[in-house]
């Protein structure tokens, strides 16, 4: 029996959805880590408070940057 590769199977909608989902979850995780590191650095001396709005803005900016990077990698030049 011949081994089938992913491209020979036919309907790849499930595989594509799984790959996109993994990219989104990875970007969310990276954005959360970046936002937490930013919060720790911002509140290092204890004088300033990192608000929830700033945290969400930091996550959104990081998600946009992750999206640009993944688009560049997956889409090419």
């Amino acid at each position: 029996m011949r081994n089938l590769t992913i491209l020979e199977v036919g309907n790849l909608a499930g595989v594509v959805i799984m790959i996109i989902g993994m990219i989104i979850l990875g970007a969310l995780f990276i954005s959360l880590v970046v936002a937490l590191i930013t919060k720790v650095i911002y509140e290092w001396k204890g004088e300033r408070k990192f608000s929830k709005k700033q945290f969400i803005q930091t996550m959104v900016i990081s998600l946009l940057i992750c999206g640009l990077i993944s688009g560049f990698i997956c889409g090419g030049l």
Side-chain angles (χ1 to χ4, degrees), residues 67-77:
L68 285 172
I69 292 170
S70 68
F72 181 75
I73 291 172
C74 295
L77 291 173

Side-chain angles (χ1 to χ4, degrees), residues 7-77:
L7 296 174
E8 293 174 335
V9 177
N11 188 5
L12 297 176
V15 175
V16 171
I17 290 172
M18 284 176 31
I19 291 171
I20 291 172
M22 285 189 288
I23 290 171
I24 291 172
L25 288 176
L28 280 171
F29 179 73
I30 291 170
S31 297
L32 181 66
V33 169
V34 168
L36 287 173
I37 290 172
T38 306
K39 179 179 175 156
V40 167
I41 291 171
Y42 189 78
E43 295 180 346
W44 187 260
K45 302 216 175 184
E47 301 164 358
R48 299 178 287 187
K49 180 77 173 129
F50 199 71
S51 68
K52 187 175 182 178
K53 182 180 176 184
Q54 287 173 318
F55 188 82
I56 291 172
Q57 285 176 341
T58 306
M59 275 200 66
V60 168
I61 291 169
S62 180
L63 271 172
L64 289 172
I65 293 171
C66 285
L68 285 172
I69 292 170
S70 68
F72 181 75
I73 291 172
C74 295
L77 291 173

